[in-house]
Every structure is written in C-alpha cells, then in structure tokens.
Amino acid sequence: MASAAEAPGTTSPASAAPAGAGRLVAVVVTHNRLDKLKATLARLLESPEHELAAVVVADNASSDGTGAWLASKDDPRLDVCTSAENRGGAGGFEMGMRRAMEAHGPDWLVVMDDDARPAPGTFAAFHARPRPLDTALAAAVFFPDGRICEMNRPSVNPFWNPAVFLRTLLKARDGYHIPYSAYEEKAPRPIDLTSFVGLFLPRRMVAAAGYPDPGLFLYGDDVIYTLGLRRRGEKILFDPGLPFEHDCSTFQNDRQRVFSPLWKVYYAYRNGLMMYRAAAGGILFWPLLLLVAVKWRLTAGRYGAGERQAYLRLWRHAVRDGMRRDTRRSHARVMALAAGQGGD
C-alpha cells in the first residue's frame, strides 16, 4: 500500500489483463467514518483485479483511527493519500482523482463517498460490454434496503430545455429529476448533472476537464463538475444496469431542515448560488438569485435567538461570495464566522 509520504509509483497497466471496458480505478473519499469505510473497501476489493485495478483512498485528515487501520492493510491495489487538514468532499475528490490519474494509468475512474459502494456484480456489468470513452456513466443509487436514494437521483437541466422548465414549474423537484421508472428501464438515458456516488468517468474526459474545485469544500461540487462537463459538450448517461448502495441517512422534512453544525449554511448557500449560475447562466440567474436569497433570509426564523445572528452572518457572506464565485475563504474562516468572529 502506498502512502502520501511516498513517491507515487505508477501501477503498470500490464499487471492485470483489463476487462472489456479497460482499466478501472476507484476513488473513495473518507473523513472519520471508519466503519463505513471498512464496509466499502471490503466490497470494492471483492472484485478481481481485472475488474478493479486499484483503489485510491483520499483520507481527509481523519482522527478516528482511519489512518492506522489503512496502514495495516497490505493489499497491493490499495493506495492511500492523506491530507494534513480536512479539505471537505470537494478537496478529497480533487486529491483522490488527481492521484488516480497520475499514479495508476486508468482508462476509467469510478468515484464514491466512504458510505457508498457498488452492489455485488456492478463492476462485472460495467465490463460486460465495451464502454465508449466519450461518455460518462451515472450509477443507479439505492439505500441498502432497496429504496431509491433521492439525494443521488440524477437530473436534467431545466434551463436548457423549455419543456423541462415548464414541467419544473408544475412539479418542482420531480420536474427535472429523472423519473423513478428510469431505474427499471433497460436502456441508459441522457442526464446533465449527477452526484459523485457511482460516477464512472473516462480518463480522456477528466484529462480534458480537470478536477473538482477544492475550494467548494462541501455541497454541490459534483453538480458543478458534471454541469461543467455538459457545458463542454461531453455526454453523461444514467445507466440503471450499474447499481450502487448508499448507506446514508434519509432527509425527512426538507421544508423545515436546519443546518447542524451551523457552519454548513455558508457552503450550502454559496455553492448553491454557484450551481444555479452554472445551470441558468446569463440573465436568468439574477431573478433566481433574488428569489433564493430572500427565501434563505426568511429561513433565519427557524433558528433560535442564540443561533440566528450567526446564521444571518453566514447567509450574508455566502451570498456575497457566491455572487462573486469566490471559493477562497478557508474553512477556518468559515468556522470563525459561525462562532461570531471574523465578520469581514
């Protein structure tokens, strides 16, 4: 197993005869969820080497024993890169995808969080037929009990299609997300944006588009990245024949959701504005900005007196930075805003 302290040695593509789609390398981002990570790595390493050539784990400065546990593993396919500080999901995917591209000679990357993993047989299905290197593939993501994982349901961009835009006005979220029936279909269907859970990316596409913006830290990095791919003219398909499991909590009442810890407000709103701008573009962004900024301002009423001022401070800075598309604010500065410090 390689570590970040070692010079990354390139794994020879000839070390195993690649399966039908070519050399596949998995990227897993983790932070302080060792039990989840253990389950994910066990599932990944069940796949033979001709299906999965390597697994890159991007450890975001975990402090729960993850580093020591990973260091005890001796599977030659396991490559661990560790950040000195928590860089969030966005920073983890940037670090892990870069390591995979530079050290492992992939034809394909497949990315996931530490609580997500391929269903048994998914990689065999991926290799069962040739996969064009001009098309990314989004997995069908389910909870472990078999229900569709709503947070990973791919979408089409309503701002690029008048019919979808009208349907969104009538049906809200169900207007632009793929229908539940798509999970039962045989053929893949085109999409515009999806999550970093079970996203298969051809090397050529990553080499051309680059990596996620690590400054995003948390929320929306996957949507912004996949929208960016589509803006470049790349193709993304939702493939119901590639199932993934996501062992995460279900959002219950989104209408009354509050953020805990409170610092997440900043990333949700700043990155949300950047997502809306990437989706709407041009003049349509500005009325959307006004609508969501007012909605978020009114949300302050969900918080108690002790948190309301911190919420408003985070909201104000998030809107300002989001309008500027400025991702330079460090996580330490965001935490200081939440604590009532650094109100620049």
Side-chain angles (χ1 to χ4, degrees):
M1 180 187 71
S3 70
E6 301 170 351
T10 301
T11 302
S12 170
S15 63
R23 183 176 171 82
L24 178 65
V25 175
V27 175
V28 183
V29 175
T30 191
H31 174 70
N32 284 348
R33 291 196 297 199
L34 181 54
D35 288 344
K36 305 278 191 183
L37 178 65
K38 287 179 177 180
T40 291
L41 288 185
R43 177 67 57 78
L44 288 171
L45 294 171
E46 287 173 359
S47 295
E49 188 174 354
H50 69 269
E51 289 180 1
L52 183 64
V55 180
V56 174
V57 176
D59 180 8
N60 254 330
S62 294
S63 57
D64 63 347
T66 291
W69 182 81
L70 287 169
S72 72
K73 304 293 106 178
D74 59 3
D75 192 302
R77 288 186 290 168
L78 186 59
D79 181 8
V80 179
C81 49
T82 303
S83 173
E85 61 181 6
N86 182 9
R87 303 171 70 223
F93 280 113
E94 184 270 339
M95 176 173 66
M97 290 168 64
R98 187 182 298 276
R99 177 65 163 255
M101 290 284 286
E102 293 177 352
H104 294 285
D107 296 304
W108 287 85
L109 300 182
V110 57
V111 298
M112 66 204 76
D113 293 320
D114 52 10
D115 60 354
R117 56 201 67 103
T122 292
F123 289 163
F126 173 73
H127 287 292
R129 53 180 169 169
R131 301 288 181 173
L133 297 178
D134 64 349
T135 304
L137 300 168
V141 185
F142 300 88
F143 289 112
D145 64 7
R147 290 174 297 130
I148 292 171
C149 190
E150 185 67 26
M151 68 182 294
N152 303 123
R153 185 158 56 120
S155 307
V156 292
N157 186 356
F159 295 99
W160 293 345
N161 187 311
V164 176
F165 185 82
L166 178 60
R167 192 169 69 224
T168 300
L169 293 177
L170 297 173
K171 297 184 177 181
R173 182 179 177 86
D174 285 335
Y176 62 94
H177 282 74
I178 63 170
Y180 297 118
S181 60
Y183 289 73
E184 301 173 2
E185 296 171 355
K186 298 291 185 183
R189 65 164 58 202
I191 58 171
D192 297 320
L193 51 108
T194 190
S195 72
F196 280 160
V197 172
L199 178 61
F200 293 77
L201 292 162
R203 176 188 180 91
R204 180 207 59 78
M205 198 175 290
V206 177
Y211 304 101
D213 178 359
L216 292 168
F217 192 81
L218 185 70
Y219 299 135
D221 50 314
D222 42 14
V223 171
I224 292 170
Y225 188 79
T226 51
L227 272 174
L229 292 177
R230 291 289 294 119
R231 282 192 175 275
R232 293 176 55 87
E234 305 287 7
K235 294 187 291 185
I236 310 174
L237 295 178
F238 167 74
D239 191 335
L242 300 175
F244 254 66
E245 299 172 3
H246 198 179
D247 186 12
C248 64
S249 300
T250 309
F251 290 119
Q252 295 296 330
N253 187 354
D254 192 57
R255 292 184 179 180
Q256 295 300 319
R257 185 175 63 180
V258 295
F259 288 94
S260 180
L262 197 59
W263 55 261
K264 292 183 177 181
V265 167
Y266 174 81
Y267 295 112
Y269 293 171
R270 183 200 65 182
N271 297 356
L273 288 182
M274 294 175 66
M275 284 191 292
Y276 291 139
R277 193 168 207 161
I283 196 169
L284 290 176
F285 168 70
W286 299 105
L288 187 59
L289 164 65
L290 179 62
L291 178 66
V292 298
V294 170
K295 175 185 174 183
W296 293 337
R297 171 62 180 82
L298 295 175
T299 301
R302 298 178 188 171
Y303 293 85
E307 292 186 319
R308 193 169 300 145
Q309 288 306 311
Y311 172 90
L312 290 171
R313 185 166 48 249
L314 290 162
W315 165 79
R316 184 172 64 252
H317 285 81
V319 171
R320 186 181 72 177
D321 290 351
M323 288 177 61
R324 297 173 176 177
R325 290 177 278 195
D326 186 349
T327 61
R328 294 174 298 173
R329 192 179 298 272
S330 69
H331 185 55
R333 291 176 63 198
V334 174
M335 296 285 282
L337 284 176
Q341 306 164 5
D344 57 312

